[in-house]
Amino acid sequence: MKLRRLWNSIWPPLVAVILLLAVWQAATSIFQIEKWILPSPSDIVREATGGAAGLWKHTMATLRLMLVGFAIGTGTGLLVAFSLHYIPSLKSSLYPLIILSQNIPTIALAPLLMIWFGFGILPKIIVITLVCFFPVAVAAMDGLTRTDRVMLDYMRMAGASKGQIFRKLEVPHALPSILSGVKIAATYSVMGAVIAEWIGADKGIGYYMMLQKSSFRTDKIFVAITIIVTISLAMFALIALLEKWLVRYKPLKDDK
Amino acid sequence: MMNTEKSASVSGTDIAALEIQGISLAFRKRRQQLPVLNDISLTVPAGKFVSIIGPSGCGKSTLFHVIGGLLEPDQGVVRMGGREVTGQRGLISYVPQKPALFPWRNTLDNVLLAREISGDANEAARAEAREWLVRAGLGGFEKSYPHMLSGGMQQRASFLRGLLAPQEVICLDEPFSSLDELTRSDMQRWLLDLWETSRRSVLLITHSVEEALLLSDTIYLFSGRPASVLHRADVPFARPRRESVIEEPGFLELKREISARMKEEQSKKPI
């Protein structure tokens, strides 16, 4: 029953993707499009299987960078949200600045970070942290402010300390909201890692893309894109699973 | 934890579990004074069941917030066991109007919440909670989350949370108002039985005269906003009380009398 529902939600987009790939494949051969402009899906698959060994190294480098950045970014986001929640004066002064800071494109900051912190791992981690922290911080703060009034009154009357209210009520209450922020951060972290590698790196998928761009190896760029999408989807799925496990008390949506 | 009948019956000389004296409170809204409580005094003797009846929206819940220490009264004091505790939190066990069970906790953990807050949710407390859950007809539902329970079951779990709390005085804020008629009378009977065996000091807010008469030793009738005590009535029916008391002529007469007073008060309300 459950499997069937899953299948029902999967097959329509799957068919769409297969159709798209078929049209793409047909178009490249019918219109005889040059391989360096638009390689066909089969070219890309061939390239991916052929150059797998070298790509593996780059993928691992990007993955490592992304995971470290994601962890630090999410941690920072939570820390910022919790401290702003507890110090209202800090919130009223800093929250608008945090929102404003999101108008600065990360890609514009990246060169500056390279100048200040060199070509090591630090500026790259900072880039990823910058993109990850925002969705997490905003979602967490939003969740914390929407704590149920009656439950809060109950906790206070029962004589709960601030710490107890935080641990036993506010955090669990905000958890679904926090996790949806983390889910966004997870996909952003992949993008952050690739951007960081574009700017300056000697390994990683982003670096690999820049390398292939200069030699017009469009097929290899497509392989890189496929890898990025796959990592993004995997991260999203991982957090969604974590969410399902942590928020397991929730009724199923189609209950009732 | 449970007070036996013996300890409750020496109440003649001992100090009231909860006493409030001359409580007044006004909310301030843009320079306007909105008086909510007007010189309210009442007493809950140890091991007694006391009810407050009043028109809805008269500020009864605000009174609980004062007793619970969430609001500071403009005037008056709250005493518990003879000690002044105005504005102090953590001294009453509160059962809110809606069950307000925490959705991420299963029934057992919800019921133990108050114990956890006071730091004694040990194995003995868990065993006691399990026992009470069985007695409340929630035996197989220890591990269920609140959304899996019916409204009546949630309310019972909410009661147990209040009952298992370490505080002596339990404050019930219209606990039956969100339930349907049938569940409601079931719950009243259940609460009556429960109280007869545990004999805690209880302050109940309700707008049902029958409910108050069935359960209480003393009833305070409140006026409309700003709330003040209109009338205090002792309920003479013997303990342990059975639900059949509802049909006794004395009960009906008392019910008629209090209802008449309430109607009179309602009619004074400006429209």
Side-chain angles (χ1 to χ4, degrees):
Chain A
M1 187 63 204
K2 220 172 170 183
L3 215 68
R4 178 150 185 192
R5 206 158 49 215
L6 191 73
W7 175 243
N8 277 343
S9 65
I10 281 179
W11 76 260
L14 199 69
V15 167
V17 168
I18 290 170
L19 268 176
L20 189 76
L21 287 177
V23 170
W24 179 355
Q25 180 74 42
T28 45
S29 57
I30 292 168
F31 301 112
Q32 306 212 324
I33 297 169
E34 295 278 2
K35 204 177 155 189
W36 62 270
I37 294 177
L38 184 66
S40 71
S42 58
D43 288 334
I44 296 168
V45 171
R46 203 175 311 121
E47 187 52 49
T49 45
L55 266 170
W56 189 244
K57 188 187 77 190
H58 290 299
T59 309
M60 285 329 271
T62 304
L63 260 179
R64 193 161 46 235
L65 178 64
M66 178 203 76
L67 286 175
V68 173
F70 171 64
I72 296 177
T74 306
T76 318
L78 288 177
L79 210 68
V80 166
F82 293 162
S83 35
L84 290 200
H85 179 68
Y86 267 97
I87 312 166
S89 62
L90 212 60
K91 185 175 180 179
S92 52
S93 57
L94 287 185
Y95 194 55
L97 285 184
I98 291 175
I99 302 274
L100 243 124
S101 75
Q102 287 309 298
N103 290 315
I104 307 167
T106 316
I107 199 147
L109 273 183
L112 273 180
L113 293 173
M114 299 296 155
I115 294 173
W116 292 337
F117 302 108
F119 288 87
I121 194 164
L122 181 63
K124 300 184 185 71
I125 299 286
I126 294 177
V127 168
I128 304 171
T129 303
L130 283 176
V131 278
C132 283
F133 120 96
F134 184 72
V136 175
V138 170
M141 250 183 299
D142 189 46
L144 287 173
T145 50
R146 274 189 295 160
T147 302
D148 187 279
R149 194 69 224 175
V150 181
M151 293 182 193
L152 188 62
D153 281 349
Y154 175 82
M155 288 298 274
R156 284 195 185 137
M157 286 213 218
S161 65
K162 272 201 158 183
Q164 283 177 326
I165 291 179
F166 184 69
R167 282 196 318 274
K168 294 187 194 295
L169 173 59
E170 289 179 314
V171 169
H173 198 274
L175 197 62
S177 174
I178 291 174
L179 281 169
S180 62
V182 171
K183 231 189 288 180
I184 297 172
T187 51
Y188 278 15
S189 68
V190 188
M191 182 191 75
V194 171
I195 290 178
E197 284 167 352
W198 277 355
I199 308 293
D202 51 10
K203 56 184 186 290
I205 296 291
Y207 165 76
Y208 177 84
M209 285 177 92
M210 292 318 253
L211 213 64
Q212 303 314 324
K213 186 201 79 180
S214 39
S215 51
F216 284 93
R217 288 301 301 268
T218 319
D219 50 348
K220 289 193 173 182
I221 294 180
F222 268 106
V223 173
I225 291 173
T226 313
I227 291 173
I228 292 169
V229 171
T230 312
I231 297 176
S232 272
L233 284 177
M235 281 298 279
F236 190 85
L238 218 65
I239 306 293
L241 269 179
L242 183 74
E243 185 180 22
K244 207 161 193 180
W245 181 68
L246 281 175
V247 195
R248 59 188 175 281
Y249 57 84
K250 275 244 165 122
L252 288 169
K253 260 192 202 125
D254 39 11
D255 258 14
K256 274 185 197 172
Chain B
M1 177 59 44
M2 283 178 269
N3 279 332
T4 59
E5 216 169 321
K6 231 177 263 164
S7 74
S9 63
V10 291
S11 62
T13 49
D14 66 12
I15 312 152
L18 170 71
E19 187 186 8
I20 60 177
Q21 212 168 57
I23 297 274
S24 293
L25 177 74
F27 289 134
R28 274 153 214 90
K29 220 179 193 176
R30 292 201 207 98
R31 277 190 223 162
Q32 257 190 324
Q33 290 264 342
L34 216 74
V36 184
L37 304 174
N38 182 18
D39 193 23
I40 288 176
S41 302
L42 57 83
T43 308
V44 183
K48 295 286 175 189
F49 200 118
V50 175
S51 294
I52 296 171
I53 318 179
S56 42
C58 77
K60 291 169 292 187
S61 301
T62 310
L63 182 65
F64 269 6
H65 286 174
V66 171
I67 297 171
L70 296 191
L71 290 169
E72 283 273 355
D74 297 333
Q75 272 165 38
V77 287
V78 179
R79 285 199 202 91
M80 295 184 82
R83 207 159 50 88
E84 198 201 317
V85 294
T86 319
Q88 281 185 43
R89 291 175 185 174
L91 298 172
I92 57 159
S93 164
Y94 172 58
V95 180
Q97 196 165 352
K98 279 180 276 168
L101 299 173
F102 291 17
W104 51 88
R105 286 173 166 253
N106 63 35
T107 311
L108 183 64
D109 288 340
N110 258 306
V111 164
L112 279 166
L113 180 63
R115 284 291 186 86
E116 252 178 58
I117 291 169
S118 63
D120 61 346
N122 48 24
E123 219 19 76
R126 295 184 84 81
E128 194 188 345
R130 279 203 194 90
E131 213 174 283
W132 275 107
L133 282 173
V134 172
R135 227 181 292 179
L138 293 166
F141 296 91
E142 282 175 20
K143 295 262 181 281
S144 305
Y145 290 103
H147 72 89
M148 300 159 152
L149 307 179
S150 70
M153 288 162 102
Q154 288 185 22
Q155 197 56 266
R156 268 181 292 187
S158 173
F159 271 132
L160 286 187
R161 181 174 65 180
L163 189 77
L164 287 167
Q167 292 88 354
E168 160 64 18
V169 180
I170 306 178
C171 289
L172 306 168
D173 186 356
E174 298 193 22
F176 306 112
S177 60
S178 58
L179 302 173
D180 59 88
E181 195 61 41
L182 218 71
T183 320
R184 197 182 162 116
S185 69
D186 262 3
M187 292 289 295
Q188 287 167 357
R189 201 177 326 136
W190 179 77
L191 181 62
L192 183 64
D193 285 348
L194 193 97
W195 185 83
E196 294 285 2
T197 51
S198 72
R199 291 292 170 112
R200 295 276 289 273
S201 315
V202 175
L203 182 59
L204 167 80
I205 289 179
T206 177
H207 49 240
S208 155
V209 178
E210 189 175 293
E211 186 175 298
L213 280 172
L214 174 66
L215 296 166
S216 333
D217 297 298
T218 306
I219 295 175
Y220 287 87
L221 192 60
F222 273 31
S223 70
R225 225 171 222 218
S228 57
V229 179
L230 277 182
H231 181 67
R232 176 180 179 280
D234 283 316
V235 183
F237 313 116
R239 299 277 190 188
R241 211 172 278 168
R242 293 281 135 238
E243 204 211 359
S244 54
V245 77
I246 295 182
E247 276 127 44
E248 286 175 23
F251 187 96
L252 293 171
E253 197 174 314
L254 207 53
K255 183 181 168 188
R256 209 172 303 134
E257 186 197 322
I258 293 176
S259 301
R261 279 179 189 272
M262 252 182 95
K263 261 199 201 108
E264 197 184 321
E265 177 56 27
Q266 294 271 42
S267 63
K268 270 192 251 166
K269 211 159 104 186
I271 300 165

